[in-house]
PDB file of all heavy atoms in Angstrom:
ATOM      1  N   SER R 185     -13.643   9.037 -24.426  1.00 90.00           N
ATOM      2  CA  SER R 185     -12.601   8.024 -24.234  1.00 90.00           C
ATOM      3  C   SER R 185     -11.685   8.429 -23.064  1.00 90.00           C
ATOM      4  O   SER R 185     -11.222   7.559 -22.308  1.00 90.00           O
ATOM      5  CB  SER R 185     -11.766   7.836 -25.497  1.00 90.00           C
ATOM      6  OG  SER R 185     -10.833   8.902 -25.698  1.00 90.00           O
ATOM      7  N   SER R 186     -11.405   9.711 -22.902  1.00 87.00           N
ATOM      8  CA  SER R 186     -10.557  10.183 -21.800  1.00 87.00           C
ATOM      9  C   SER R 186     -11.217   9.896 -20.482  1.00 87.00           C
ATOM     10  O   SER R 186     -10.572   9.418 -19.520  1.00 87.00           O
ATOM     11  CB  SER R 186     -10.290  11.689 -21.919  1.00 87.00           C
ATOM     12  OG  SER R 186      -9.535  11.986 -23.058  1.00 87.00           O
ATOM     13  N   VAL R 187     -12.517  10.158 -20.390  1.00 88.00           N
ATOM     14  CA  VAL R 187     -13.264   9.923 -19.129  1.00 88.00           C
ATOM     15  C   VAL R 187     -13.332   8.431 -18.819  1.00 88.00           C
ATOM     16  O   VAL R 187     -13.124   7.991 -17.662  1.00 88.00           O
ATOM     17  CB  VAL R 187     -14.663  10.528 -19.228  1.00 88.00           C
ATOM     18  CG1 VAL R 187     -15.471  10.179 -17.987  1.00 88.00           C
ATOM     19  CG2 VAL R 187     -14.594  12.038 -19.384  1.00 88.00           C
ATOM     20  N   PHE R 188     -13.599   7.613 -19.819  1.00 90.00           N
ATOM     21  CA  PHE R 188     -13.679   6.187 -19.602  1.00 90.00           C
ATOM     22  C   PHE R 188     -12.292   5.580 -19.286  1.00 90.00           C
ATOM     23  O   PHE R 188     -12.200   4.639 -18.502  1.00 90.00           O
ATOM     24  CB  PHE R 188     -14.275   5.467 -20.794  1.00 90.00           C
ATOM     25  CG  PHE R 188     -15.789   5.499 -20.756  1.00 90.00           C
ATOM     26  CD1 PHE R 188     -16.517   6.326 -21.633  1.00 90.00           C
ATOM     27  CD2 PHE R 188     -16.500   4.693 -19.922  1.00 90.00           C
ATOM     28  CE1 PHE R 188     -17.890   6.389 -21.618  1.00 90.00           C
ATOM     29  CE2 PHE R 188     -17.879   4.714 -19.892  1.00 90.00           C
ATOM     30  CZ  PHE R 188     -18.587   5.562 -20.746  1.00 90.00           C
ATOM     31  N   LEU R 189     -11.246   6.117 -19.897  1.00 88.00           N
ATOM     32  CA  LEU R 189      -9.891   5.625 -19.581  1.00 88.00           C
ATOM     33  C   LEU R 189      -9.559   5.887 -18.109  1.00 88.00           C
ATOM     34  O   LEU R 189      -8.992   5.008 -17.464  1.00 88.00           O
ATOM     35  CB  LEU R 189      -8.852   6.321 -20.495  1.00 88.00           C
ATOM     36  CG  LEU R 189      -7.408   5.909 -20.265  1.00 88.00           C
ATOM     37  CD1 LEU R 189      -7.216   4.425 -20.512  1.00 88.00           C
ATOM     38  CD2 LEU R 189      -6.461   6.710 -21.155  1.00 88.00           C
ATOM     39  N   LYS R 190      -9.928   7.033 -17.620  1.00 88.00           N
ATOM     40  CA  LYS R 190      -9.699   7.314 -16.192  1.00 88.00           C
ATOM     41  C   LYS R 190     -10.495   6.344 -15.335  1.00 88.00           C
ATOM     42  O   LYS R 190     -10.001   5.791 -14.339  1.00 88.00           O
ATOM     43  CB  LYS R 190     -10.105   8.766 -15.879  1.00 88.00           C
ATOM     44  CG  LYS R 190      -9.984   9.093 -14.372  1.00 88.00           C
ATOM     45  CD  LYS R 190     -10.329  10.537 -14.108  1.00 88.00           C
ATOM     46  CE  LYS R 190     -10.257  10.827 -12.612  1.00 88.00           C
ATOM     47  NZ  LYS R 190      -8.888  10.664 -12.089  1.00 88.00           N
ATOM     48  N   ARG R 191     -11.740   6.098 -15.730  1.00 88.00           N
ATOM     49  CA  ARG R 191     -12.597   5.202 -14.966  1.00 88.00           C
ATOM     50  C   ARG R 191     -12.091   3.767 -14.979  1.00 88.00           C
ATOM     51  O   ARG R 191     -12.039   3.102 -13.958  1.00 88.00           O
ATOM     52  CB  ARG R 191     -14.013   5.282 -15.553  1.00 88.00           C
ATOM     53  CG  ARG R 191     -15.093   4.576 -14.721  1.00 88.00           C
ATOM     54  CD  ARG R 191     -16.429   4.771 -15.391  1.00 88.00           C
ATOM     55  NE  ARG R 191     -17.502   4.266 -14.577  1.00 88.00           N
ATOM     56  CZ  ARG R 191     -18.788   4.242 -14.943  1.00 88.00           C
ATOM     57  NH1 ARG R 191     -19.139   4.714 -16.122  1.00 88.00           N
ATOM     58  NH2 ARG R 191     -19.707   3.785 -14.127  1.00 88.00           N
ATOM     59  N   PHE R 192     -11.706   3.268 -16.156  1.00 89.00           N
ATOM     60  CA  PHE R 192     -11.272   1.880 -16.293  1.00 89.00           C
ATOM     61  C   PHE R 192      -9.898   1.640 -15.687  1.00 89.00           C
ATOM     62  O   PHE R 192      -9.623   0.543 -15.188  1.00 89.00           O
ATOM     63  CB  PHE R 192     -11.228   1.490 -17.775  1.00 89.00           C
ATOM     64  CG  PHE R 192     -12.558   1.469 -18.460  1.00 89.00           C
ATOM     65  CD1 PHE R 192     -12.648   1.555 -19.845  1.00 89.00           C
ATOM     66  CD2 PHE R 192     -13.740   1.365 -17.729  1.00 89.00           C
ATOM     67  CE1 PHE R 192     -13.889   1.564 -20.465  1.00 89.00           C
ATOM     68  CE2 PHE R 192     -14.991   1.362 -18.353  1.00 89.00           C
ATOM     69  CZ  PHE R 192     -15.055   1.464 -19.729  1.00 89.00           C
ATOM     70  N   SER R 193      -9.028   2.652 -15.733  1.00 84.00           N
ATOM     71  CA  SER R 193      -7.658   2.480 -15.182  1.00 84.00           C
ATOM     72  C   SER R 193      -7.652   2.349 -13.659  1.00 84.00           C
ATOM     73  O   SER R 193      -6.642   2.032 -13.080  1.00 84.00           O
ATOM     74  CB  SER R 193      -6.767   3.664 -15.589  1.00 84.00           C
ATOM     75  OG  SER R 193      -7.260   4.897 -15.058  1.00 84.00           O
ATOM     76  N   ALA R 194      -8.830   2.585 -13.027  1.00 81.00           N
ATOM     77  CA  ALA R 194      -8.902   2.336 -11.601  1.00 81.00           C
ATOM     78  C   ALA R 194      -8.705   0.858 -11.265  1.00 81.00           C
ATOM     79  O   ALA R 194      -8.234   0.502 -10.197  1.00 81.00           O
ATOM     80  CB  ALA R 194     -10.288   2.782 -11.070  1.00 81.00           C
ATOM     81  N   ARG R 195      -9.064  -0.002 -12.244  1.00 84.00           N
ATOM     82  CA  ARG R 195      -8.964  -1.444 -11.990  1.00 84.00           C
ATOM     83  C   ARG R 195      -7.985  -2.152 -12.927  1.00 84.00           C
ATOM     84  O   ARG R 195      -7.494  -3.220 -12.622  1.00 84.00           O
ATOM     85  CB  ARG R 195     -10.360  -2.097 -12.208  1.00 84.00           C
ATOM     86  CG  ARG R 195     -11.396  -1.701 -11.146  1.00 84.00           C
ATOM     87  CD  ARG R 195     -12.790  -2.116 -11.529  1.00 84.00           C
ATOM     88  NE  ARG R 195     -13.285  -1.340 -12.639  1.00 84.00           N
ATOM     89  CZ  ARG R 195     -14.524  -1.491 -13.150  1.00 84.00           C
ATOM     90  NH1 ARG R 195     -15.311  -2.436 -12.667  1.00 84.00           N
ATOM     91  NH2 ARG R 195     -14.934  -0.729 -14.148  1.00 84.00           N
ATOM     92  N   ASP R 196      -7.687  -1.565 -14.062  1.00 86.00           N
ATOM     93  CA  ASP R 196      -6.871  -2.244 -15.054  1.00 86.00           C
ATOM     94  C   ASP R 196      -5.555  -1.489 -15.320  1.00 86.00           C
ATOM     95  O   ASP R 196      -5.486  -0.272 -15.114  1.00 86.00           O
ATOM     96  CB  ASP R 196      -7.645  -2.360 -16.395  1.00 86.00           C
ATOM     97  CG  ASP R 196      -8.904  -3.150 -16.232  1.00 86.00           C
ATOM     98  OD1 ASP R 196      -8.898  -4.183 -15.527  1.00 86.00           O
ATOM     99  OD2 ASP R 196      -9.930  -2.729 -16.789  1.00 86.00           O
ATOM    100  N   ASN R 197      -4.566  -2.217 -15.800  1.00 88.00           N
ATOM    101  CA  ASN R 197      -3.305  -1.600 -16.168  1.00 88.00           C
ATOM    102  C   ASN R 197      -3.494  -0.618 -17.337  1.00 88.00           C
ATOM    103  O   ASN R 197      -4.032  -1.007 -18.390  1.00 88.00           O
ATOM    104  CB  ASN R 197      -2.304  -2.707 -16.569  1.00 88.00           C
ATOM    105  CG  ASN R 197      -0.922  -2.153 -16.904  1.00 88.00           C
ATOM    106  OD1 ASN R 197      -0.753  -1.537 -17.921  1.00 88.00           O
ATOM    107  ND2 ASN R 197       0.032  -2.445 -16.047  1.00 88.00           N
ATOM    108  N   THR R 198      -3.092   0.618 -17.159  1.00 89.00           N
ATOM    109  CA  THR R 198      -3.326   1.650 -18.150  1.00 89.00           C
ATOM    110  C   THR R 198      -2.666   1.364 -19.500  1.00 89.00           C
ATOM    111  O   THR R 198      -3.237   1.555 -20.583  1.00 89.00           O
ATOM    112  CB  THR R 198      -2.857   3.021 -17.647  1.00 89.00           C
ATOM    113  OG1 THR R 198      -3.498   3.294 -16.410  1.00 89.00           O
ATOM    114  CG2 THR R 198      -3.220   4.136 -18.642  1.00 89.00           C
ATOM    115  N   VAL R 199      -1.398   0.902 -19.465  1.00 90.00           N
ATOM    116  CA  VAL R 199      -0.683   0.601 -20.663  1.00 90.00           C
ATOM    117  C   VAL R 199      -1.331  -0.591 -21.403  1.00 90.00           C
ATOM    118  O   VAL R 199      -1.400  -0.616 -22.640  1.00 90.00           O
ATOM    119  CB  VAL R 199       0.806   0.304 -20.373  1.00 90.00           C
ATOM    120  CG1 VAL R 199       1.559  -0.037 -21.670  1.00 90.00           C
ATOM    121  CG2 VAL R 199       1.444   1.510 -19.706  1.00 90.00           C
TER     122      VAL R 199
END
Side-chain angles (χ1 to χ4, degrees):
S185 77
S186 295
V187 175
F188 277 105
L189 179 60
K190 176 177 178 63
R191 190 178 187 184
F192 295 159
S193 63
R195 292 169 290 181
D196 301 318
N197 182 290
T198 304
V199 178

